[in-house]
């Protein structure tokens, strides 16, 4: 596990009285090494991340909702075998691909989640149907599949999800009697968080779990409050990492709650020092980054690793991770556009022109 924290400089959507939007995405975090990644493989990941980012950007730039942007960004990653979500998901101990996903709307904190589905082509779409069309929040296995069939969601056969390199990882894990961390090297969970022009936030996460998972293991990705959370009063968060630890810390909800309390303190401050001075302090305090780093440090203290992406009501789009790398990207309405893999690759200051 990495013995240090890797963070990003916050990038905000420029606000001159005009409506603005922001989006951040991730494709997993882990102990990847720059020396072991070929230029060709790096380019492949960068194209995949940019494709997902562009899909989410297009929704937001056209005035679409944060929820729709999150789904639009996640779907191409679920369809891409580079990532551990949908097609390309890891195998369970029994040799199956079992998929989890969750989504949350910060406007009303409505949420939907599914776990252990095996035939749903895009689990994030099923999670959203649970959110909008079900009286429940969390569905599992056969019941979730039945609900999907009743709603007409697209399905796919087992061979759609299965990939040879994931099968080899399971075989090596069994043959060498090693852990999932030793064969995966990274958590390929995918996610997106967004702020739309109406000021609404949303978050979504999708995964295949961990190689060789047994006994119906469920990680943090489909757990509202652990892997996914959105609240217009504070932030939207999607996590990727060692799920057992993210569940124990309640990472996504913990970050949003700490920020909400701090934002309420800033509101109280404005009555004493004036709204302009309070907002100026907020703008330059990097509260969201500090909170994210603090919660990720808590995960590391317990023994877990991974990372988070986060967007705030002010349009800050940022990352925090305690691994050597995290597949990630972010964009804002003022022209910022970045995709990155290893630590420290983002620009130090907001850019007025796209980087890619």
């Amino acid at each position: 596990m990495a013995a240090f924290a890797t963070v990003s400089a916050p990038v905000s959507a420029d606000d001159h009285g005009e409506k603005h939007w922001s989006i951040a995405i991730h494709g997993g975090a882990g102990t990847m090494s720059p020396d072991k990644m070929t230029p060709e493989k790096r380019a492949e990941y960068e194209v995949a991340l940019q494709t997902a980012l562009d899909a989410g950007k297009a929704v937001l730039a056209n005035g679409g909702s944060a929820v729709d942007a999150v789904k639009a960004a996640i779907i191409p990653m679920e369809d891409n075998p580079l990532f551990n979500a949908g097609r390309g998901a890891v195998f369970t101990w029994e040799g199956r691909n079992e998929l989890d996903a969750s989504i949350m709307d910060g406007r009303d904190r409505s949420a939907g989640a599914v776990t252990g589905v095996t035939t749903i082509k895009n689990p994030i779409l099923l999670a959203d149907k649970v959110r909008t069309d079900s009286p429940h929040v969390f569905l599992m296995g056969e019941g979730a599949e039945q609900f999907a069939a009743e709603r007409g969601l697209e399905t796919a056969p087992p061979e759609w999800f299965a990939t040879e390199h994931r099968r080899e990882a399971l075989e090596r894990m069994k043959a060498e009697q090693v852990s999932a961390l030793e064969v995966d090297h990274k958590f390929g969970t995918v996610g997106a968080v967004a702020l739309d022009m109406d000021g609404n936030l949303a978050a979504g996460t999708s995964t295949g779990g961990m190689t060789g998972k047994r006994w119906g293991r469920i990680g943090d990705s489909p757990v509202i409050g652990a892997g996914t959370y959105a609240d217009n009063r504070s932030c939207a968060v999607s996590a990727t990492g060692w799920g057992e630890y993210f569940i124990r810390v309640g990472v996504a909800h913990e970050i949003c709650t700490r920020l909400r309390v701090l934002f309420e303190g800033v509101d109280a401050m404005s009555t004493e020092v004036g709204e302009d001075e309070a907002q100026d302090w907020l703008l330059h305090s990097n509260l969201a980054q500090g909170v994210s780093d603090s919660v990720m440090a808590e995960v590391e203290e317990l023994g877990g690793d991974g990372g988070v992406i986060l967007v705030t009501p002010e349009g800050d789009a940022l990352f925090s991770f305690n691994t050597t790398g995290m597949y990630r990207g972010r964009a804002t309405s003022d022209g910022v556009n970045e995709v990155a893999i290893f630590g420290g690759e983002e620009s130090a200051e907001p850019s007025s022109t796209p980087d890619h």
Side-chain angles (χ1 to χ4, degrees), residues 5-11 286 288-290 292-293 308-310 317-321 326 328 330 338 343-348:
T6 306
V7 301
S8 65
V11 171
N286 292 343
Q289 187 72 66
S292 299
D293 297 344
V308 296
I309 56 174
L310 182 147
L318 54 89
F319 318 94
S320 181
F321 52 101
M326 181 166 76
R328 61 200 186 276
R330 59 182 172 184
E338 300 176 330
E345 293 183 341
E346 294 89 5
S347 61

Side-chain angles (χ1 to χ4, degrees), residues 192-209:
V193 292
L195 168 74
D196 63 33
M197 290 188 187
D198 292 323
N200 295 314
L201 297 166
T205 313
S206 182
T207 191

Side-chain angles (χ1 to χ4, degrees), residues 39-337:
E40 293 78 15
K41 180 59 70 174
R42 183 187 182 101
E44 193 176 0
Y45 272 106
E46 288 177 343
V47 168
L49 290 168
Q50 190 63 59
T51 298
L53 194 59
D54 287 344
K57 284 167 53 180
V59 172
L60 296 171
N62 289 318
S65 72
V67 166
D68 286 343
V70 163
K71 290 186 291 183
I74 289 176
I75 287 170
M77 292 190 283
E78 287 183 329
D79 290 344
N80 192 322
L82 286 175
F83 303 107
N84 173 22
R87 191 181 190 192
V90 299
F91 284 87
T92 66
W93 186 263
E94 294 76 22
R96 303 201 316 163
N97 306 114
E98 293 182 354
L99 316 170
D100 307 330
S102 62
I103 194 166
M104 188 166 185
D105 188 338
R107 289 177 297 184
D108 57 4
R109 283 175 282 169
S110 59
V114 294
T115 187
V117 297
T118 59
T119 68
I120 308 304
K121 184 173 181 289
N122 293 111
I124 194 65
L125 296 181
L126 176 54
D128 196 48
K129 280 294 183 184
V130 174
R131 181 184 72 84
T132 60
D133 292 10
S134 164
H136 309 301
V137 170
F138 203 168
L139 302 182
M140 65 174 285
E142 292 182 10
E145 304 257 359
Q146 180 182 346
F147 176 80
E150 293 172 358
R151 295 303 183 278
L153 267 73
E154 185 176 0
T155 59
E159 54 267 27
W160 163 260
F161 305 102
T163 56
E164 191 57 34
H165 76 285
R166 299 294 193 193
R167 195 182 302 278
E168 289 173 356
L170 175 66
E171 292 172 354
R172 185 159 68 88
M173 178 183 182
K174 289 183 173 183
E176 300 176 13
Q177 296 184 346
V178 295
S179 72
L181 300 180
E182 293 173 277
V183 297
D184 287 343
H185 301 297
K186 70 178 181 65
F187 304 97
T189 298
V190 306
V193 292
L195 168 74
D196 63 33
M197 290 188 187
D198 292 323
N200 295 314
L201 297 166
T205 313
S206 182
T207 191
M210 298 181 76
T211 297
K213 60 184 181 181
R214 307 178 75 173
W215 311 297
R217 179 262 186 190
I218 301 168
D220 65 302
S221 296
V223 179
I224 299 299
T228 302
Y229 203 77
D231 184 344
N232 278 9
R233 300 173 297 175
S234 55
C235 65
V237 177
S238 174
T240 175
W242 197 340
E244 280 70 14
Y245 294 93
F246 281 70
I247 291 172
R248 288 162 61 185
V249 175
V251 166
H253 184 265
E254 181 74 7
I255 291 172
C256 287
T257 298
R258 291 190 192 185
L259 271 179
R260 179 167 58 83
V261 171
L262 288 171
F263 289 159
E264 289 170 352
V266 172
D267 288 340
M269 181 198 307
S270 66
T271 64
E272 298 180 11
V273 302
E275 185 173 348
D276 290 344
E277 186 171 338
Q279 289 302 316
D280 185 66
W281 179 85
L282 178 61
L283 181 65
H284 295 95
S285 64
N286 292 343
L287 279 181
Q289 187 72 66
V291 167
S292 299
D293 297 344
S294 176
V295 174
M296 285 307 304
E298 189 173 331
V299 170
E300 187 169 26
E301 287 170 5
L302 292 178
D305 57 1
V308 296
I309 56 174
L310 182 147
V311 168
T312 70
E314 293 74 33
D316 293 319
L318 54 89
F319 318 94
S320 181
F321 52 101
N322 60 14
T323 54
T324 55
M326 181 166 76
Y327 296 105
R328 61 200 186 276
R330 59 182 172 184
T332 71
S333 50
D334 67 344
V336 171
N337 188 104

